[in-house]
């Protein structure tokens, strides 16, 4: 698959096994930034990387900061090649966000190869070119656009993910399928069992279709000015859930809960059939796995988090909602979401999840 971008066209390669890593580790003038856990799980694959070219990062939000990025930049200065240096990063969204930023700012842009090792990074974040760092209490405050030159995905690597991280990735997979309309919904209903069992072939099919779906949005609006904003379906609610639970609930799971809330708002506004709402919920509830007490926060905390979201403009609340569902679905950006609707949607989810 090739993604067209204003920077460069870049390739996504679906790999059948991990042998491609042996080729990557032999590349000249490369610096390797690898998720510490991934390094431990797949140590044998990385054994020929010289220590001086290896930088391990513990994938935590606390490490997704400019200090880590600068440490990597400094390490890259030891490679004689300068602008022809290649950064090869292997990990999930955290490693992607840090290393994309580094590849962008070092010598005003060096080569970058990314290997997503979480389902979330593979099905969603690896394309689109967003890089982000946290600053003080501000999540993803610092960021740029800079896509990798190549992305290699090997679904075998998702077998070692925890159930929590795997299901988080499934949240985004389900999102793309619900957004796609009737065929997408049917497709995910028919395959959710296989996905939950981590059947490699099924995962590959859904990673590819998710990326294809996202490609349609980012190629027409790479810089988030219009069409791409629709990919934020359910994210207004999802981000608020992440914030109030202090990121205990991972991104894709928060988005899955956000979808139930968003669809409830659409249903209350007579924009979505009850049948579609129920069918979507049945799939979503299979991938949501959270401790209920995490969500027992005062409504004011959710509203505060929604208001602080960087996508909010002005006083009214903004969200992306499904407003028509058929063979394809239609999504609209609405700016008149009320506090009562958020309250109702949250209570609705809590009742449903009990
Ligand atoms: N740039 C974007 O477009 C974009 C989009 C969505 C999310 N994000 C960011 O991505 C981050 C979340 O990323 P994520 O959900 O991919 O996970 P992650 O990078 O936070 O990793 C989750 C956990 O899985 C572990 N892990 C990674 N690969 C593994 C493997 N193959 N086997 C076993 N364990 C493995 C990690 O060590 C970590 O403990 C957040 O910081 C979020 O802000 C970025
Ligand atoms: Zn998301």
């Amino acid at each position: 698959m090739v993604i067209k971008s204003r920077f460069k066209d870049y390739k996504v390669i679906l790999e059948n096994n991990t042998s491609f890593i042996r080729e990557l580790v032999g590349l000249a003038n490369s610096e390797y930034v690898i998720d510490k856990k991934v390094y431990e799980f797949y140590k044998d694959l990385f054994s020929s990387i010289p220590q001086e070219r290896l930088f391990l990062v513990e994938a935590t939000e606390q490490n997704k900061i400019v200090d880590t990025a600068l440490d990597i930049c400094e390490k890259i200065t030891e490679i004689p090649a300068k602008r022809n240096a290649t950064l090869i990063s292997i990990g999930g969204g955290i490693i992607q966000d840090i290393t994309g930023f580094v590849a962008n700012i070092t010598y005003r842009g060096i080569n970058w190869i990314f290997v997503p090792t979480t389902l979330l990074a593979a099905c969603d974040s690896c394309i689109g070119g967003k890089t982000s760092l946290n600053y003080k209490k501000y999540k993803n405050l610092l960021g740029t656009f800079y896509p990798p030159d190549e992305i290699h995905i090997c679904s075998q690597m998702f077998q070692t993910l925890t159930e929590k991280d795997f299901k988080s990735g499934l949240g985004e997979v389900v999102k793309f399928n619900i957004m796609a309309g009737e065929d997408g919904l049917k497709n995910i209903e028919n395959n959710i069992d296989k996905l939950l069992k981590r059947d490699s072939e099924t995962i590959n099919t859904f990673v590819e279709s998710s990326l294809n779906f996202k490609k349609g949005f980012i190629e027409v609006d790479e810089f988030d000015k219009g069409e791409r904003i629709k990919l934020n379906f359910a994210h207004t609610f999802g981000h608020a859930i992440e914030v109030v639970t202090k990121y205990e609930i991972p991104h894709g799971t928060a988005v899955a809960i956000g979808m139930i809330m968003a669809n409830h708002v659409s249903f209350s506004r007579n924009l979505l059939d009850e049948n579609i709402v129920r069918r979507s919920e049945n799939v979503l509830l299979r991938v949501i796995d959270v401790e209920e007490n995490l969500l027992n926060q005062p409504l004011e905390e959710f509203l505060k988090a929604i208001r602080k979201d960087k996508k909010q403009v002005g006083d009214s609340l903004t969200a992306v909602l499904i407003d028509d569902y058929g063979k394809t679905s239609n999504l609209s950006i609405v700016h008149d979401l009320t506090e009562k609707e958020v309250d109702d949607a949250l209570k609705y989810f809590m009742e449903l999840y009990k």
Side-chain angles (χ1 to χ4, degrees):
M1 181 188 304
V2 174
I3 311 293
K4 291 198 171 61
S5 153
R6 292 273 288 279
F7 297 90
K8 64 207 158 191
D9 292 354
Y10 55 102
K11 266 196 286 190
V12 183
I13 302 144
L14 287 165
E15 306 280 359
N16 292 323
N17 53 55
T18 52
S19 61
F20 71 98
I21 292 196
R22 296 195 195 278
E23 280 167 41
L24 288 183
V25 298
L27 285 183
N29 296 318
S30 301
E31 176 71 28
Y32 298 87
V33 178
I34 305 177
D35 179 314
K36 225 178 214 164
K37 266 194 210 160
V38 173
Y39 183 79
E40 288 301 326
F41 273 119
Y42 301 93
K43 224 172 189 161
D44 289 351
L45 293 172
F46 305 125
S47 57
S48 61
I49 301 175
Q51 278 306 311
E52 69 275 16
R53 289 281 174 269
L54 182 62
F55 194 106
L56 299 182
V57 180
E58 205 178 318
T60 60
E61 290 295 334
Q62 290 76 21
N63 282 342
K64 206 176 94 171
I65 53 172
V66 75
D67 305 56
T68 314
L70 294 178
D71 286 347
I72 301 170
C73 290
E74 193 173 342
K75 197 93 199 295
I76 293 170
T77 62
E78 292 165 17
I79 301 175
K82 307 295 169 225
R83 281 205 67 177
N84 274 330
T86 301
L87 177 61
I88 298 176
S89 58
I90 304 173
I94 290 188
I95 302 301
Q96 177 194 337
D97 272 348
I98 301 170
T99 54
F101 191 86
V102 168
N104 188 185
I105 62 167
T106 309
Y107 306 126
R108 295 199 192 85
I110 59 170
N111 309 317
W112 176 33
I113 298 173
F114 178 53
V115 180
T117 62
T118 61
L119 177 57
L120 185 123
C123 78
D124 182 2
S125 67
C126 69
I127 62 168
K130 287 186 183 171
T131 85
S132 317
L133 296 175
N134 304 327
Y135 178 68
K136 293 190 177 165
K137 59 178 189 195
Y138 307 100
K139 162 101 168 148
N140 292 343
L141 177 79
L142 310 172
T144 65
F145 283 96
Y146 193 72
D149 299 275
E150 271 175 33
I151 297 158
H152 296 260
I153 299 173
C154 175
S155 62
Q156 274 178 14
M157 297 181 92
F158 310 151
Q159 298 297 337
T160 47
L161 287 169
T162 61
E163 199 60 8
K164 180 177 170 180
D165 290 315
F166 185 74
K167 282 185 167 169
S168 172
L170 280 184
E172 295 282 11
V173 172
V174 174
K175 181 197 80 176
F176 288 126
N177 281 272
I178 289 178
M179 282 176 77
E182 184 59 50
D183 288 350
L185 180 55
K186 245 191 228 137
N187 200 13
I188 196 76
E189 286 177 314
N190 291 339
N191 287 288
I192 191 66
D193 286 329
K194 279 199 209 155
L195 285 168
L196 283 162
K197 285 188 189 129
R198 306 196 196 188
D199 175 72
S200 280
E201 213 173 297
T202 314
I203 296 176
N204 280 339
T205 310
F206 276 84
V207 165
E208 197 170 3
S209 64
S210 298
L211 292 176
N212 259 320
F213 187 79
K214 179 168 176 177
K215 175 179 149 87
F217 289 81
I218 57 178
E219 286 190 340
V220 297
D221 174 28
E222 188 167 11
F223 302 117
D224 240 347
K225 301 283 181 232
E227 200 58 16
R228 184 172 176 176
I229 297 173
K230 292 182 185 166
L231 291 176
N232 277 319
F233 169 52
H235 280 62
T236 295
F237 305 101
H239 283 148
I241 288 162
E242 287 182 274
V243 171
V244 297
T245 63
K246 303 198 170 52
Y247 300 93
E248 282 285 316
I249 295 184
H251 181 76
T253 305
V255 168
I257 298 172
M259 263 180 279
I260 293 184
M261 292 174 67
N263 282 355
H264 180 72
V265 176
S266 292
F267 174 70
S268 310
R269 290 185 178 198
N270 281 324
L271 303 171
L272 195 56
D273 260 16
E274 187 169 5
N275 172 45
I276 302 294
V277 174
R278 295 287 163 266
R279 286 173 56 199
S280 306
E281 282 170 2
N282 287 340
V283 179
L284 287 163
L285 289 171
R286 303 282 305 279
V287 305
I288 298 169
D289 196 353
V290 295
E291 284 170 42
E292 254 176 78
N293 64 343
L294 277 176
L295 289 160
N296 280 330
Q297 315 274 348
L299 171 73
E300 201 37 52
E301 292 302 309
F302 284 92
L303 293 170
K304 214 161 71 188
I306 290 178
R307 280 193 211 101
K308 277 201 180 142
D309 193 314
K310 59 181 176 301
K311 306 232 163 40
Q312 299 295 329
V313 276
D315 284 343
S316 58
L317 302 175
T318 297
V320 179
L321 298 176
I322 295 178
D323 64 6
D324 191 17
Y325 209 84
K327 194 134 186 62
T328 60
S329 76
N330 194 60
L331 289 121
S332 291
I333 303 161
V334 303
H335 299 288
D336 60 352
L337 182 72
T338 65
E339 294 189 359
K340 181 165 185 319
E341 282 177 314
V342 176
D343 187 22
D344 287 347
L346 191 60
K347 285 188 181 136
Y348 173 78
F349 171 74
M350 298 292 277
E351 267 311 301
L352 189 73
Y353 193 65
K354 259 186 194 161

